């Protein structure tokens, strides 16, 4: 996949999280033509970033990529908060993962004691590469890939 801008990082501050969410939308807008899909990307990014701010620790890193057919957003942090270092798997306490599961074509949550990475992808059907034009919308899948 090709990066849309450089990955960017911030500390777990809610105001920084709002700026990060807007940055994800701006980067995705380079290849996503429909506002409805951009709304979905922004909402999923907001949920992923909020989970990192609320449940993660250390610096949060966000990356946006495309292969011309899919847009992928990854949100990583330095692991569970101190209370979760006892080997418990981090779970979602709100609607974040439910929203991502409903909107993403694929997503996953990878967690170790030192790192948590939540990623999601939206498919764009028969799209062109980012340098050739904007991605065309695709129909939503009804099945979901398991967590990786």
């Amino acid at each position: 996949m090709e990066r849309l801008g450089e990955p960017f990082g911030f500390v777990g501050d809610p105001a920084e999280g709002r700026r990060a969410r807007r940055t994800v939308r701006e980067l995705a807008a380079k290849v996503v033509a429909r506002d409805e899909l951009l709304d979905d990307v922004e909402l999923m990014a907001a949920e992923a970033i909020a989970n990192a701010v609320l449940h993660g620790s250390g610096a949060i890193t966000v990356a946006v990529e495309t292969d011309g057919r899919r847009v992928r957003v990854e949100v990583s942090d330095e692991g569970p908060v101190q209370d979760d270092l006892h080997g418990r798997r981090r779970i979602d306490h709100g609607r974040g993962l439910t929203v991502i599961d409903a909107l993403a074509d694929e997503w996953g949550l990878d967690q170790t004691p030192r790192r948590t990475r939540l990623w999601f992808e939206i498919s764009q059907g028969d799209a062109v590469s980012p340098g050739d034009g904007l991605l065309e919308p695709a129909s939503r899948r009804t099945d979901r890939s398991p967590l990786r």
Side-chain angles (χ1 to χ4, degrees):
M1 289 207 167
E2 175 185 333
R3 284 189 178 150
L4 295 172
E6 289 299 314
F8 56 95
F10 62 98
V11 293
D13 175 87
E16 292 289 325
R18 286 188 289 278
R19 282 191 282 280
R21 181 195 74 217
R22 286 190 298 271
T23 300
V24 167
R25 183 185 180 105
E26 291 167 4
L27 292 170
K30 293 180 179 182
V31 294
V32 175
R34 289 184 42 208
D35 284 338
E36 297 85 13
L37 291 175
L38 285 173
D39 291 345
D40 288 352
V41 169
E42 184 176 9
L43 178 58
M44 289 185 286
E47 296 296 344
I49 290 165
N51 276 352
V53 168
L54 292 172
H55 305 294
S57 63
I60 298 167
T61 304
V62 181
V64 182
E65 301 175 332
T66 188
D67 64 0
R69 294 184 184 277
R70 297 170 293 159
V71 172
R72 179 183 180 106
V73 176
E74 290 187 10
V75 178
S76 301
D77 62 65
E78 295 176 3
V81 293
Q82 290 292 359
D83 293 344
D84 290 339
L85 290 177
H86 303 290
R88 294 185 312 221
R89 182 173 170 82
R90 182 172 89 187
I91 60 173
D92 186 46
H93 297 286
R95 64 186 177 125
L97 295 182
T98 303
V99 168
I100 292 170
D101 187 56
L103 296 176
D105 290 310
E106 293 184 55
W107 67 277
L109 176 66
D110 306 314
Q111 187 176 31
T112 70
R114 298 178 194 263
R115 183 170 181 259
T116 298
R117 180 176 62 110
L118 175 60
W119 60 269
F120 62 84
E121 293 182 359
I122 58 165
S123 297
Q124 301 296 307
D126 297 324
V128 294
S129 66
D132 294 336
L134 296 177
L135 298 176
E136 295 297 321
S139 59
R140 289 206 197 286
R141 284 182 21 185
T142 57
D143 60 330
R144 298 285 180 246
S145 297
L147 284 176
R148 295 182 198 181

